[in-house]
Amino acid sequence: MEAQPLPHLSSPSPFLSDGGLETWLIYNRGCQLTLFAAFPLLSTPEGANHLQEYYKEYLEVAQELRMGLVLSTPTWRASTRWGEQMGFSQVEVDQFNVDAVKMLKGVKDISKDGPTVVVDGQIGPMEDGYRPEVKHSVQACKEYHIRQVAVLKDAGVDLVTAATLTNWEEATGIALAARECKTPLAVGFTVELDGRLPSGDSLEDAVEKVDKMTGAYPSYYMVNCAHPDHIRKAMENEGKWRERVMAFRVNASRKSHEELDRMETLDEGDVEELGRLTAELGKLMPRMVLMGGCCGTRAEHVRSIG
């Protein structure tokens, strides 16, 4: 079955995303997330209720602002390596991905007379998104990620987004996996305080390398898990590459990834300032299709961004 055109790519105005799911679950609902993984919550009624509550909040925000909405599955950690570390078999990990998509398709059904909802299957890096000590080859990354991409596609997502990637090699492997699976893909890189990827590469180099090696397969690129101040530094260089970056999911805090990893309390930043800075960032872009939140953000932050 041929993939349908993505609504936010044909919309005259940007769509919203949801916010920082994992930080909301930890700090606002008191959930214990092993390895920062939200997907195991799908296995209990209480956990599933927390997830439903979270997504419905963003549905209400999109309805209020009359904007489209991209909702990402709670599957950033639902891949082979991370599942094994939590004691899940591959079959169980696959089922968590399927169940996550089913849940969001249910939320989408609720919105038939409301905002347009895009169901996004989210995947994350093989290594820690904040401390990428190990780099893998393009081929190894393709072989690792292709199973989750295929499961999400078969479960019925509208697109797959790889979020918080730290290097171009993994992004390229994921793009090749998505191309083989014939599913639309967004590639999300994160950046440090200096605007560079944790690998040390510039965002410009990362985008250009992935596009060169995959025939520009990704539908668009995103920067996520960084404050607008840091993203602005990443976008300083002019060039055609900037036309490929069409989405931001911002952190509430200006702190570095290392600082955030050590914190025991949540830095939610300034809600109104974050909205203003994200809007200013969007005005610098040739085209913006998606904006929203990442770590430390709640529905209030995303409302301000919208």
Side-chain angles (χ1 to χ4, degrees):
M1 182 175 169
E2 190 129 348
Q4 297 300 307
L6 297 172
H8 55 307
L9 288 181
S10 57
S11 172
S13 57
F15 276 36
L16 288 176
S17 78
D18 55 284
L21 169 64
E22 291 85 0
T23 51
W24 181 85
L25 288 167
I26 293 168
Y27 293 101
N28 293 88
R29 290 299 176 269
C31 298
Q32 300 295 316
L33 301 187
T34 303
L35 299 176
F36 210 58
F39 72 86
L41 294 180
L42 289 161
S43 63
T44 69
E46 181 183 13
N49 285 338
H50 286 320
L51 293 169
Q52 291 274 4
E53 178 189 2
Y54 169 83
Y55 290 115
K56 286 176 181 176
E57 273 195 276
Y58 291 94
L59 201 58
E60 291 170 4
V61 171
Q63 177 81 46
E64 175 189 331
L65 299 179
R66 298 183 179 181
M67 297 178 71
L69 182 64
V70 176
L71 291 177
S72 298
T73 54
T75 52
W76 188 67
R77 283 286 199 235
S79 62
T80 305
R81 173 194 169 191
W82 298 101
E84 285 177 351
Q85 288 188 54
M86 288 179 273
F88 296 116
S89 69
Q90 183 64 65
V91 171
E92 289 172 320
V93 171
D94 290 348
Q95 189 60 51
F96 276 121
N97 280 277
V98 171
D99 291 345
V101 176
K102 182 179 179 181
M103 181 183 65
L104 280 193
K105 288 172 80 173
V107 174
K108 182 175 182 176
D109 287 342
I110 293 171
S111 184
K112 278 185 176 175
D113 297 321
T116 300
V117 173
V118 176
V119 175
D120 168 42
Q122 189 172 94
I123 67 176
M126 293 173 66
E127 301 295 332
D128 192 299
Y130 282 179
R131 294 190 301 271
E133 286 90 358
V134 180
K135 266 194 191 181
H136 300 276
S137 69
V138 169
Q139 184 61 27
C141 291
K142 176 190 173 185
E143 291 172 358
Y144 177 82
H145 288 289
I146 195 166
R147 180 160 187 145
Q148 189 181 13
V149 172
V151 170
L152 289 167
K153 181 204 173 180
D154 290 345
V157 296
D158 298 309
L159 83 156
V160 168
T161 295
T164 327
L165 299 183
T166 63
N167 61 83
W168 65 266
E169 291 91 342
E170 186 161 22
T172 300
I174 293 170
L176 293 173
R179 187 171 72 179
E180 188 168 314
C181 293
K182 297 182 173 61
T183 189
L185 174 74
V187 168
F189 289 112
T190 191
V191 296
E192 299 290 356
L193 302 187
D194 60 1
R196 302 183 79 84
L197 274 61
S199 63
D201 293 304
S202 70
L203 181 62
E204 176 183 3
D205 284 347
V207 168
E208 289 182 340
K209 284 176 179 175
V210 176
D211 270 355
K212 181 178 180 181
M213 296 185 72
T214 66
Y217 184 78
S219 298
Y220 58 89
Y221 291 85
M222 172 178 78
V223 185
N224 79 289
C225 210
H227 190 271
D229 286 354
H230 313 145
I231 297 173
R232 183 183 288 269
K233 292 178 184 178
M235 301 299 300
E236 284 178 346
N237 290 347
E238 300 286 343
K240 293 284 289 183
W241 71 275
R242 286 180 55 173
E243 297 176 8
R244 298 284 285 133
V245 182
M246 303 182 196
F248 299 124
R249 292 189 62 168
V250 299
N251 277 1
S253 175
R254 284 186 168 87
K255 289 182 168 54
S256 70
H257 291 147
E258 185 178 356
E259 289 172 312
L260 290 173
D261 222 17
R262 292 198 305 262
M263 289 183 67
E264 295 183 2
T265 58
L266 185 63
D267 180 3
E268 293 191 333
D270 183 308
V271 172
E272 296 305 318
E273 181 191 47
L274 189 71
R276 177 176 55 79
L277 292 174
T278 306
E280 290 174 2
L281 195 60
K283 290 175 184 175
L284 298 176
M285 303 310 302
R287 187 181 179 199
M288 174 71 68
V289 301
L290 179 68
M291 53 189 183
C294 202
C295 290
T297 61
R298 297 174 284 108
E300 289 81 356
H301 295 82
V302 172
R303 181 182 287 107
S304 177
I305 288 169

